[in-house]
Amino acid sequence: MRKPVIAGNWKLNKTINEAEGLARQLVDKLHHVTRTEIIIAPVFTALPAVARILAGSPLQLAAQNCYPQETGAFTGEISPLLLKDAGCKAIILGHSERRQLLAESDELINRKVHTTLASGLTAILCLGETLEERNSGAMFEVLTRQLKVGLAKLTPAQMTQVIIAYEPVWAIGTGKTASTDQAQEVHSFIRGLVMGLFNQATADNCRILYGGSVKPDNIDALMAEDDIDGALVGGASLKANDFCRIVEYQA
Ligand code: PEP
């Protein structure tokens, strides 16, 4: 069975002090959780401090991005190897904000996935359609391209270290959540794609998270769907009580 994952993407928020405060509250409230994998992704500067607070707890640390090289003359970049050194277990890749604001291509994201896995970290690969793509009927084509190129040249063994996050762009930070039917439809489509690209066992074992205005009041219904294995949470992950209620969803 697939172990659920609830991941918090803190985006560009919180000083080191503030991040430490939130991390301490989460460890206090969630230290007993075993049913679900819990991941939090603070800004780069807060990673070592938060790693010290999470040590010995079930919460895992993630970064929000990386460069697809381990070391070298890449001014201003950060590598999976160094993120691992800072305490990270996973990296969020291909978030729609990076695709849109920083023009990240599927090919670049694929290189980041490979470098992340080579460093022994989990890749959380984000994909999702814009409202225009959904309304024009291009949604499945867009998702297919993002997934196929994003996962290119991976083996089934490497796929055990990949988590997919379906995040419809129109639902991120907008307060509009995909309906449970809309989300389940796409999750099932993505699982079918993974089966076609790899095999049945890889598809059965692949965790597919939903992201897009996940809140305490919609998580229960989302988690009741067969192909929704967890959530990637933005805004609500910045509030300890909201994030804890999402982790302790009832399905
Ligand atoms: C996200 O940043 O991945 C996200 C889903 O944000 P929000 O929950 O705020 O929509």
Side-chain angles (χ1 to χ4, degrees):
M1 283 316 295
R2 299 184 292 268
K3 186 165 186 181
V5 181
I6 302 291
N9 173 13
W10 293 3
K11 308 194 185 189
L12 184 47
N13 291 295
K14 301 211 177 279
T15 61
I16 296 172
N17 248 329
E18 291 165 348
E20 286 177 319
L22 179 53
R24 271 194 206 99
Q25 288 185 66
L26 296 178
V27 168
D28 258 16
K29 292 171 191 279
L30 298 172
H31 62 90
H32 60 282
V33 174
T34 53
R35 168 185 72 164
T36 302
E37 264 179 52
I38 310 164
I39 300 175
I40 55 174
V43 295
F44 290 136
T45 48
L47 289 172
V50 173
R52 283 190 284 276
I53 291 165
L54 302 193
S57 86
L59 281 78
Q60 297 175 42
L61 190 67
Q64 301 172 20
N65 179 41
C66 70
Y67 191 71
Q69 294 282 343
E70 289 191 345
T71 56
F74 305 105
T75 303
E77 294 297 333
I78 188 78
S79 71
L81 196 67
L82 300 187
L83 292 169
K84 187 179 178 183
D85 186 47
C88 289
K89 299 276 186 274
I91 309 181
I92 298 171
L93 299 170
H95 192 280
S96 68
E97 284 152 15
R98 300 199 60 84
R99 290 178 188 264
Q100 296 200 316
L101 301 173
L102 295 143
E104 288 201 0
S105 67
D106 292 310
E107 289 76 11
L108 175 66
I109 294 162
N110 175 249
R111 288 171 53 215
K112 294 183 180 195
V113 170
H114 278 276
T115 317
T116 296
L117 300 182
S119 297
L121 299 183
T122 293
I124 303 174
L125 173 65
C126 304
L127 51 139
E129 81 287 355
T130 62
L131 193 56
E132 199 186 8
E133 288 161 346
R134 177 174 273 263
N135 290 341
S136 69
M139 176 176 82
F140 291 116
E141 191 188 313
V142 168
L143 295 171
T144 303
R145 190 202 66 232
Q146 291 177 340
L147 198 79
K148 263 190 173 173
V149 181
L151 299 179
K153 300 202 179 95
L154 290 186
T155 63
Q158 285 177 307
M159 279 299 290
T160 60
Q161 289 305 115
V162 174
I163 295 172
I164 295 171
Y166 167 58
E167 300 206 299
V169 177
W170 47 273
I172 297 180
T174 59
K176 289 184 199 153
T177 325
S179 69
T180 50
D181 286 353
Q182 285 173 323
Q184 167 59 28
E185 179 192 27
V186 174
H187 280 233
S188 154
F189 174 75
I190 291 172
R191 199 174 303 287
L193 284 177
V194 172
M195 188 184 74
L197 291 171
F198 299 94
N199 55 43
Q200 185 72 54
T202 301
D204 287 345
N205 292 325
C206 182
R207 270 96 55 92
I208 307 175
L209 316 185
Y210 170 78
S213 300
V214 172
K215 305 278 182 243
D217 64 4
N218 56 29
I219 186 66
D220 297 348
L222 287 162
M223 291 305 289
E225 295 294 332
D226 283 352
D227 288 294
I228 300 180
D229 306 313
L232 180 52
V233 185
S237 71
L238 295 169
K239 297 178 200 141
N241 286 343
D242 284 4
F243 188 66
C244 292
R245 172 62 182 83
I246 291 169
V247 169
E248 304 200 275
Y249 67 86
Q250 288 149 27

